[in-house]
Amino acid sequence: MPASKRDQLLATAERLFYEQGFHATGIDRIVAAAGVVRMTLYNHFSSKEALVAAVLKARHERFIASLDAATAAAPPGQATRALVEAHGRWLKRCSRQGCIMVKAMGEFAEHSAEVHALAKAAKRDLLARIEAAVARDGLDHHDDLARRLFLVLEGSNTAVVLLGMDAALADTRAVADALLATARSETP
């Protein structure tokens, strides 16, 4: 079944925003790459900012769904590890050049409070998912564990560009495993 024009625009805009940047990608480039006319875009999105917000929301929903599916399928005591692995799979599949939310926060900090807040909320949502996985694993008595794991995952978003995917993910796993082992050894 062919994608709707709206879905086609979202996919094209996401790819171009990710590859070229939000401000560097104009509406004309998006509509040309999507194979639609400008009016089609404006029939679905009231402005470029509305398109950016829709792209970020859709991408975040896919990301969170992948984390939720992994933690839901994890055996007892392995939800956090499953989340770390799901994050790594997402990086391999969708974020080889860093995190689009971080890019959005950087580009929109001074230009759009709404888009900036949306990207920040996505990061808070990730932290909440980590906290839930840590709690599911019975490790929530370590107040700083989820926050430290969040920092490790966020660091991997940047490290893939510098270290390469394999090294960044191997180091992410090693640090996460060390944090989890320490937390388990200190379980009351």
Side-chain angles (χ1 to χ4, degrees):
M1 178 170 150
S4 72
K5 294 291 183 186
R6 184 181 193 283
D7 291 343
Q8 189 176 337
L9 283 164
L10 281 173
T12 301
E14 180 179 333
R15 179 180 55 79
L16 293 173
F17 289 152
Y18 187 72
E19 291 171 358
Q20 300 173 4
F22 295 96
H23 295 308
T25 304
I27 293 296
D28 290 337
R29 174 79 178 100
I30 295 167
V31 297
V36 300
V37 296
R38 188 181 261 262
M39 187 51 69
T40 301
L41 185 139
Y42 287 115
N43 284 337
H44 294 284
F45 306 100
S46 61
S47 64
K48 181 179 176 183
E49 186 174 316
L51 175 60
V52 169
V55 163
L56 294 178
K57 287 176 187 173
R59 185 175 174 104
H60 182 63
E61 287 170 5
R62 290 191 322 271
F63 172 63
I64 289 299
S66 71
L67 298 182
D68 289 348
T71 57
Q78 295 299 311
T80 307
R81 187 65 165 81
L83 185 143
V84 170
E85 289 300 316
H87 183 271
R89 286 189 299 275
W90 178 268
L91 288 180
K92 278 186 170 181
R93 195 172 57 254
C94 302
S95 291
R96 299 185 77 76
Q97 295 300 313
C99 178
I100 198 170
M101 297 299 171
V102 171
K103 292 176 185 211
M105 284 189 281
E107 286 197 44
F108 287 97
E110 302 296 323
H111 301 287
S112 170
E114 178 189 347
V115 171
H116 188 262
L118 182 67
K120 278 180 64 175
K123 293 301 180 181
R124 282 192 296 276
D125 197 17
L126 171 58
L127 178 57
R129 289 310 199 283
I130 298 168
E131 290 168 344
V134 165
R136 182 173 165 200
D137 289 343
L139 300 171
D140 51 334
H141 59 280
H142 295 279
D143 294 334
D144 56 356
L145 178 60
R147 191 179 68 247
R148 288 178 180 176
L149 288 165
F150 173 78
L151 289 173
V152 170
L153 295 183
E154 285 299 301
S156 69
N157 289 333
T158 302
V160 297
V161 177
L162 179 63
L163 303 176
M165 188 63 69
D166 293 339
L169 293 183
D171 290 348
T172 298
R173 283 185 203 100
V175 174
D177 286 346
L179 287 170
L180 290 168
T182 299
R184 285 189 174 97
S185 72
E186 297 171 354
T187 299

